[in-house]
C-alpha cells in the first residue's frame, strides 16, 4: 500500500531537483547533462517565483515529480494576459507507474497555474506521456513552429 505525501518543493530541495531534471533529460531525450545550468535556473526561478515543483513521496522514496515554469509573452487575442505556463519534468519512478502518480502531479501543476490566473498551459510530450496528457485534455498544437539549431 502506498503512503503518498505531496511536497511543494523549495530551494532547500535544489540538489534533488537538479538530479531529477538530469534523470528526466536522460530518460526522455538522451540529452547531455546540464547540471550547472539547471542549478542556476532553479536558484533564479525560485527567487523570482516563476517556477513551481511538486514532489510525491512514498515514505522516503521519491515516487514522482513535476514542475511548471511561468513566463510572460506579448498579449494576444487568445491569451489577453500574455502569461504562459510550461509543464516540465513530469516523471514517475518505474515501480510507481500506472498508479495515478503522474495524474496527481499534473493536477497540482494545472491547479497552481490556474491559481495564478494562467490559462495558457503547454508541454512537450514523450510517447509514454502522451496518453496521460490527452486523457487530461491536452491537444496537439497546430500553429506553432520551431527554428531548429
Amino acid at each position: 500500500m502506498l503512503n503518498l505525501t505531496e511536497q511543494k518543493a523549495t530551494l532547500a530541495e535544489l540538489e534533488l531537483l537538479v538530479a531529477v531534471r538530469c534523470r528526466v533529460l536522460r530518460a526522455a531525450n538522451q540529452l547531455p547533462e546540464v547540471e550547472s545550468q539547471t542549478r542556476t535556473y532553479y536558484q533564479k526561478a525560485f527567487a523570482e517565483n516563476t517556477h513551481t515543483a511538486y514532489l510525491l513521496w512514498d515514505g522516503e522514496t521519491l515516487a514522482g515529480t513535476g514542475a511548471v515554469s511561468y513566463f510572460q509573452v506579448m498579449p494576444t487575442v487568445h491569451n489577453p494576459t500574455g502569461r504562459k505556463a510550461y509543464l516540465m519534468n513530469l516523471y514517475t519512478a518505474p515501480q510507481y507507474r500506472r498508479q495515478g502518480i503522474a495524474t496527481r502531479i499534473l493536477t497540482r501543476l494545472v491547479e497552481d497555474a490556474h491559481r495564478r490566473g494562467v490559462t495558457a498551459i503547454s508541454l512537450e510530450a514523450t510517447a509514454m506521456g502522451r496518453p496521460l496528457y490527452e486523457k487530461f485534455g491536452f491537444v496537439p498544437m497546430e500553429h506553432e513552429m520551431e527554428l531548429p539549431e
Side-chain angles (χ1 to χ4, degrees):
M1 177 134 220
L2 298 178
N3 178 25
L4 299 175
T5 306
E6 287 180 20
Q7 176 188 1
K8 186 173 179 181
T10 67
L11 205 49
E13 288 77 39
L14 176 64
E15 294 306 317
L16 174 62
L17 292 170
V18 169
V20 169
R21 172 69 175 161
C22 290
R23 184 181 317 150
V24 168
L25 288 174
R26 282 192 308 274
N29 304 309
Q30 294 80 44
L31 292 179
E33 301 222 6
V34 289
E35 189 173 320
S36 175
Q37 299 92 326
T38 300
R39 188 173 289 106
T40 300
Y41 166 82
Y42 279 125
Q43 290 167 333
K44 182 174 191 262
F46 276 120
E48 296 174 351
N49 195 27
T50 58
H51 186 89
T52 301
Y54 281 94
L55 306 167
L56 197 57
W57 298 92
D58 179 21
E60 298 292 315
T61 303
L62 183 63
T65 185
V68 57
S69 181
Y70 296 100
F71 60 100
Q72 182 74 38
V73 297
M74 184 73 74
T76 65
V77 172
H78 301 292
N79 184 8
T81 68
R83 292 182 301 201
K84 293 186 116 184
Y86 184 76
L87 302 180
M88 63 183 71
N89 296 348
L90 266 89
Y91 177 79
T92 303
Q95 68 270 31
Y96 292 97
R97 292 184 181 152
R98 304 272 184 250
Q99 298 182 54
I101 303 291
T103 300
R104 186 165 164 178
I105 293 169
L106 183 58
T107 300
R108 293 298 166 267
L109 296 172
V110 170
E111 288 172 351
D112 191 89
H114 288 167
R115 273 193 303 276
R116 293 175 182 240
V118 178
T119 57
I121 303 170
S122 62
L123 55 79
E124 268 186 63
T126 62
M128 187 186 320
R130 188 171 300 278
L132 166 69
Y133 304 132
E134 288 173 346
K135 183 177 177 185
F136 201 89
F138 283 86
V139 295
M141 295 167 45
E142 298 176 25
H143 301 291
E144 279 197 15
M145 297 177 75
E146 182 177 279
L147 181 62
E149 289 184 35

